[in-house]
């Protein structure tokens, strides 16, 4: 599927809050059209890494280039332009609560395209149909369930037909059936729209169902342990920690049962 | 190659072929396209697509296709989607899947029904306010019997916040109100040569009306709004539910310390505002009207009796209750979104000010009646 052309390149990235270094020396590439997962324990900086891609937090050191352009060295104007080609799905949907679902999706279309109101209306309807929420455009976010809010958030993320989609824990707070339906939807959207997708998650079923490539962030060493396809990493990674993570093994490191895998 | 998108048709017997040309993306200008409803003449039974000259597509093409297909299906024309890119065929399939259907909403109700609905909302609000009053009463009953649980630290924090921390703004406003009153009064009273009665005017107005009123309005904007926003956000975050499930009564825990603090502090702020206002008037009297300071003070002492202060103090106790009541009520009954918190805060301030003015008018009428 992927033609192995790098779209996002991260070099020696260091993330820090003030003096507190969260992760250092992160170097990896995300290929065009692939689904890339950012894995790791809670609090290792997965979501913070996402904030570096979406322009919310400046790296302490190192650089991130998106489609060959150095993201954080560019002007603010340029960054906004790049971000218009990105869509983000936040952990709890982050729908604007004062607007209806339809208006939430229409807002970026109204602001950044020259489409007529009729066309925007049709586009909103089709985006809602894509995520299975046909006919919900007049509802306020507070009137629908959490799973539906997440779907609506996805519809808003794909409003501008982005080339890169970021997902922050898409299946958090969803039941297994809804979350696997969401995974299928993500796969189908990637295959049809040809977007590159970066997912922060620690849900193993989602990781195995979706990921072509991944990175594993470690809390103890404060850097990445490995990168590669999680299906292969689960059995062949050099790191015991990665193998244990991917096989849900919680026993003490001393026992090292992961070696017998 | 042409950049903008266009749609061409070619008719071959009973088969219509649609040609998608150029780049069909939402970032292009308006597409030239035929009216979809007039696309199909009655003898067409078959629809095919050709996308050989399509350079780029996104959901814009999807929208057009979806409406073409909808019209074609309605006219029972058979559709052959072989000519479309695979991606768009998958997306079309995805849009056809109906996962959820929204519940039916009742339609627009009409004029009289709207009046009816509005009045039910009004009565519901009244009932809610009554229930809230009752719950506050119960909560105080529990406090007297020693069963109310709340953090003493909360109470002392709110006492600090409603009292000393509010002093600067109350001082500024009260001083300026006294100052303005004296100015306006001076112009009128000078015409009769009754300059000295500026002291009576300022003293009485501050003690009976403006001191308590100004303190209450400042506290409504400052503290009432804060109460509504705090409790509203707690409601939105399910923090209030968490208290309840833990067996802590949210009224005792949240409303009680806030209300107690404000009811205790409001009269003190009002008395402070009285004195600062009188000081404002004193400045005008002494520096602008050339009344001797001693004379002004004596005149003020002669003019206001203790009962005038008592009127103001009684009022401000009620004002404190009103501000805390509105802030806590709107906060506790807030919805679960950022928008709802904003509305609750606005509504808390507006309702408190309206109630304060109404209560003030009623008190003035009542005190006049009994001759205090």
């Amino acid at each position: 599927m992927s033609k192995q052309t790098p779209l996002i390149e991260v070099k020696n990235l260091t993330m820090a809050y003030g003096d507190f270094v969260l992760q250092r020396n992160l170097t990896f590439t995300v290929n065009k059209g692939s689904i890339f997962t950012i894995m790791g324990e809670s609090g290792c900086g997965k979501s913070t890494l996402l904030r570096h891609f979406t322009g919310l937090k400046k790296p302490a050191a190192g650089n991130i280039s998106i489609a060959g352009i150095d993201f954080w060295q560019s002007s603010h104007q340029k960054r906004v332009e790049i971000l218009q080609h990105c869509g983000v799905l936040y952990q709890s949907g982050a729908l604007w609560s004062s607007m209806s679902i339809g208006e939430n999706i229409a807002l970026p279309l109204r602001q950044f395209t020259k489409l007529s109101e009729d066309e925007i209306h049709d586009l909103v309807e089709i985006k809602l149909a894509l995520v299975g929420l046909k006919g919900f455009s007049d509802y306020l976010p507070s009137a629908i369930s959490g799973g539906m809010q997440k779907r609506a958030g996805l519809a808003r993320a794909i409003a501008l037909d982005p080339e890169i989609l970021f997902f922050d824990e898409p299946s958090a707070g969803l039941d297994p059936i809804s979350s696997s339906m969401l995974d299928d939807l993500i796969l189908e959207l990637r295959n049809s729209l040809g977007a590159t997708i970066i997912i922060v998650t620690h849900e193993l079923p989602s990781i195995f169902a979706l990921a072509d490539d991944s990175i594993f962030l470690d809390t103890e060493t404060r850097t990445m342990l490995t990168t590669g396809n999680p299906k292969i990493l689960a059995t062949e990674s050099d790191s015991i920690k990665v193998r244990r993570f991917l096989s849900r093994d919680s026993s003490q490191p001393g026992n090292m049962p992961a070696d017998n895998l | 190659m042409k950049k903008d998108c266009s749609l061409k048709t070619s008719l071959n017997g009973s088969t219509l072929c649609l040609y998608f040309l150029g780049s069909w993306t939402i970032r292009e200008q308006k597409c030239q396209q035929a009216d979809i409803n007039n696309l199909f003449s009655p003898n067409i039974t078959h629809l095919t697509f050709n996308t050989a000259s399509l350079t780029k597509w996104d959901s814009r093409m999807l929208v057009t296709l979806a409406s073409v297909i909808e019209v074609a299906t309605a006219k029972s024309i058979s559709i052959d989607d072989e000519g479309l890119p695979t991606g768009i065929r998958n997306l079309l399939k995805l849009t056809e899947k109906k996962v959820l259907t929204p519940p039916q909403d009742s339609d627009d109700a009409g004029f009289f029904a709207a009046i009816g609905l509005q009045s039910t909302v009004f009565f519901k609000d009244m009932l809610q306010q009554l229930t809230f009053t009752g719950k506050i009463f119960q909560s105080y009953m529990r406090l007297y019997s020693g069963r109310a649980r709340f953090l003493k630290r909360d109470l002392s924090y709110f006492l600090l916040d409603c009292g000393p921390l509010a002093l600067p703004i109350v001082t500024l406003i009260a001083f300026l109100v006294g100052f303005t009153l004296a100015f306006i009064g001076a112009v009128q009273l000078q015409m009769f040569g009754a300059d000295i009665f500026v002291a009576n005017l300022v003293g009485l107005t501050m003690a009976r009306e403006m001191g308590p009123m100004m303190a209450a309005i400042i506290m409504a904007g400052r503290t009432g709004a804060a109460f509504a926003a705090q409790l509203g956000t707690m409601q939105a975050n399910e923090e209030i539910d968490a208290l309840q499930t833990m067996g802590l009564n949210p009224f005792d825990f949240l409303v009680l310390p806030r209300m107690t603090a404000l009811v205790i502090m409001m009269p003190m702020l009002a008395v402070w505002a009285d004195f600062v206002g009188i000081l404002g008037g004193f400045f005008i009297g002494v520096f602008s009207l050339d009344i001797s300071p001693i004379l002004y003070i004596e005149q003020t002492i002669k003019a206001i009796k203790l009962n005038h202060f008592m009127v103001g103090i009684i009022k401000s106790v009620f004002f404190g209750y009103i501000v805390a009541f509105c802030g806590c009520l709107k906060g506790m009954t807030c919805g679960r979104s950022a928008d709802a918190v904003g509305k609750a805060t606005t509504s808390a301030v507006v309702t408190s000010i309206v109630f304060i003015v109404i209560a003030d008018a009623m008190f003035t009428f009542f005190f006049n009646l009994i001759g205090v």
Side-chain angles (χ1 to χ4, degrees):
Chain A
M1 165 58 69
S2 53
K3 283 154 270 166
Q4 302 295 319
T5 39
L7 182 67
I8 299 176
E9 284 174 285
V10 178
K11 278 202 197 87
N12 293 320
L13 178 74
T14 299
M15 309 189 289
Y17 286 105
D19 287 338
F20 176 73
V21 175
L22 207 56
Q23 291 284 328
R24 58 166 60 91
N25 294 332
L26 302 180
T27 304
F28 58 92
T29 38
V30 179
N31 290 323
K32 198 169 163 49
S34 67
I35 298 183
F36 189 92
T37 52
I38 302 171
M39 312 181 284
E41 301 132 306
S42 305
C44 69
K46 301 189 293 286
S47 297
T48 309
L49 182 55
L50 205 63
R51 288 170 66 85
H52 283 78
F53 288 127
T54 49
L56 295 171
K57 189 157 169 39
K58 211 173 151 70
N63 48 41
I64 297 171
S65 65
I66 297 178
I69 302 161
D70 193 327
F71 186 65
W72 283 101
Q73 296 300 317
S74 319
S75 63
H76 179 72
Q77 192 61 39
K78 185 78 198 164
R79 275 208 297 277
V80 171
E81 252 169 62
I82 295 173
L83 285 175
Q84 278 183 26
H85 294 275
C86 300
V88 187
L89 172 61
Y90 291 93
Q91 228 176 82
S92 51
L95 295 166
W96 298 301
S97 56
S98 57
M99 298 181 218
S100 70
I101 305 291
E103 285 167 335
N104 261 286
I105 301 166
L107 183 75
L109 291 167
R110 289 208 180 104
Q111 297 300 314
F112 301 121
T113 67
K114 295 181 178 120
L115 301 173
S116 69
E117 273 305 304
D118 286 345
E119 284 174 297
I120 288 175
H121 176 263
D122 291 347
L123 268 171
V124 167
E125 283 303 319
I126 212 124
K127 299 283 172 186
L128 282 175
L130 278 177
V131 297
L133 286 178
K134 209 172 188 170
F136 278 88
S137 82
D138 289 336
Y139 282 65
L140 282 175
S142 50
I144 59 175
S145 74
M148 284 152 81
Q149 283 181 14
K150 214 160 247 187
R151 284 163 173 274
L154 178 57
R156 186 180 69 182
I158 59 171
L160 288 172
D161 286 279
E163 284 150 42
I164 307 171
L165 270 168
F166 296 102
F167 293 88
D168 194 358
E169 312 239 356
S171 38
L174 295 185
D175 63 273
I177 297 173
S178 306
S179 107
S180 97
M181 269 162 64
L182 192 68
D183 288 349
D184 291 346
L185 187 62
I186 292 170
L187 260 183
E188 225 158 329
L189 287 176
R190 191 276 303 260
N191 293 342
S192 328
L193 294 171
T196 308
I197 295 176
I198 296 180
I199 308 176
V200 166
T201 184
H202 43 221
E203 300 272 326
L204 288 181
S206 297
I207 292 174
F208 289 124
L210 298 174
D212 303 321
D213 204 351
S214 67
I215 179 174
F216 188 94
L217 304 182
D218 185 32
T219 329
E220 278 165 44
T221 55
R222 303 209 176 286
T223 186
M224 54 192 266
L225 281 187
T226 186
T227 159
N229 187 328
K231 277 163 224 151
I232 300 167
L233 289 181
T235 52
E236 289 171 22
S237 172
D238 297 334
S239 157
I240 296 165
K241 197 164 189 174
V242 174
R243 275 180 283 156
R244 281 183 46 220
F245 181 92
L246 287 170
S247 57
R248 280 195 93 189
D249 191 338
S250 61
S251 23
Q252 292 303 303
N255 302 344
M256 298 205 184
D259 281 340
N260 308 327
L261 269 174
Chain B
M1 189 168 291
K2 253 173 50 181
K3 245 203 121 212
D4 53 337
C5 46
S6 55
L7 185 62
K8 286 215 168 62
T9 58
S10 85
L11 194 60
N12 179 15
S14 63
T15 305
L16 183 79
C17 186
L18 286 180
Y19 288 82
F20 286 89
L21 309 171
S23 152
W24 279 74
T25 65
I26 51 173
R27 289 174 202 279
E28 304 299 334
Q29 295 297 322
K30 202 159 170 49
C31 288
Q32 317 158 347
Q33 46 180 277
D35 185 7
I36 290 161
N37 286 310
N38 300 331
L39 215 54
F40 304 103
S41 49
N43 57 342
I44 294 171
T45 56
H46 202 64
L47 177 66
T48 59
F49 302 96
N50 187 319
T51 53
S53 319
L54 182 69
T55 50
K56 238 174 129 184
W57 62 269
D58 66 8
S59 23
R60 182 174 214 161
M61 181 167 157
L62 192 63
V63 168
T64 313
L65 261 177
S67 45
V68 167
I69 289 173
E70 198 183 331
V71 173
T73 322
K75 299 192 176 183
S76 51
I77 295 166
S78 67
I79 299 159
D80 179 12
D81 61 2
E82 274 301 299
L84 294 172
T86 347
I88 217 161
R89 284 214 304 264
N90 289 339
L91 286 178
L92 277 174
K93 251 179 245 150
L94 209 56
T95 57
E96 282 158 15
K97 252 197 279 182
K98 269 189 207 160
V99 184
L100 299 155
T101 41
Q104 287 297 309
D105 257 358
S106 61
D107 283 317
D108 193 21
F111 179 67
F112 290 107
I115 293 178
L117 285 173
Q118 270 301 302
S119 0
T120 32
V121 168
F122 180 74
F123 281 113
K124 264 186 197 151
D125 275 357
M126 294 260 283
L127 195 67
Q128 194 184 43
Q129 285 167 8
L130 266 178
T131 321
F132 204 80
T133 315
K135 282 185 174 168
I136 289 170
F137 182 72
Q138 283 182 332
S139 189
Y140 272 102
M141 283 294 130
R142 280 195 294 274
L143 180 69
Y144 293 132
S145 59
R147 283 180 296 135
R149 280 167 200 267
F150 61 90
L151 299 179
K152 304 286 174 292
R153 194 164 47 97
D154 270 3
L155 179 63
S156 47
Y157 169 75
F158 288 119
L159 281 171
L160 178 73
D161 185 61
C162 299
L165 295 182
L167 276 182
I169 179 79
V170 171
T171 309
L172 176 72
I173 302 285
F175 185 83
L176 289 177
V177 168
F179 195 84
T180 318
L181 270 177
F183 240 134
I184 305 273
V187 176
Q188 302 301 318
L189 291 170
Q190 258 179 338
M191 291 195 283
F192 306 100
D195 300 18
I196 186 66
F197 286 101
V198 165
N200 294 47
L201 175 80
V202 173
L204 275 180
T205 322
M206 283 315 295
R208 290 187 69 117
E209 291 288 336
M210 292 316 263
M213 180 95 145
M214 281 298 137
I217 287 177
I218 293 163
M219 292 313 275
R222 187 184 175 278
T223 308
F227 287 176
Q230 284 164 357
L231 297 181
T233 315
M234 289 182 80
Q235 183 69 264
N237 278 342
E238 298 182 314
E239 288 172 48
I240 291 178
D241 298 355
L243 279 174
Q244 209 145 19
T245 46
M246 205 162 272
L248 293 166
N249 188 316
F251 271 83
D252 297 357
F253 200 82
L254 300 171
V255 178
L256 207 61
R258 287 176 170 79
M259 183 157 273
T260 312
L262 202 53
V263 170
I264 292 174
M265 280 307 176
M266 192 69 105
M268 301 202 190
L269 285 176
V271 171
W272 173 258
D274 295 346
F275 281 111
V276 175
I278 290 168
L279 187 69
F282 175 81
F283 266 86
I284 292 294
V286 171
F287 293 111
S288 173
L289 300 176
D290 289 329
I291 303 169
S292 94
I294 309 283
L295 194 61
Y296 191 97
I297 293 170
E298 272 190 357
Q299 184 70 22
T300 305
I301 293 172
K302 249 196 284 173
I304 29 181
K305 302 273 172 339
L306 186 63
N307 61 353
H308 293 135
F309 273 109
M310 285 314 291
V311 167
I313 289 169
I314 292 170
K315 275 183 185 177
S316 59
V317 170
F318 280 90
F319 291 167
Y321 173 76
I322 288 172
V323 171
F325 177 84
C326 292
C328 293
L329 170 73
K330 299 295 174 185
M332 295 290 273
T333 53
C334 174
R336 292 195 194 278
S337 68
D339 190 41
V341 175
K343 280 189 184 132
T345 312
T346 314
S347 162
V349 176
V350 172
T351 342
S352 349
I353 291 179
V354 169
F355 280 163
I356 286 167
V357 174
I358 293 175
D360 188 59
M362 280 162 54
F363 271 120
T364 307
F365 180 75
F366 172 73
F367 284 131
N368 252 320
L369 210 65
I370 62 169
V372 181

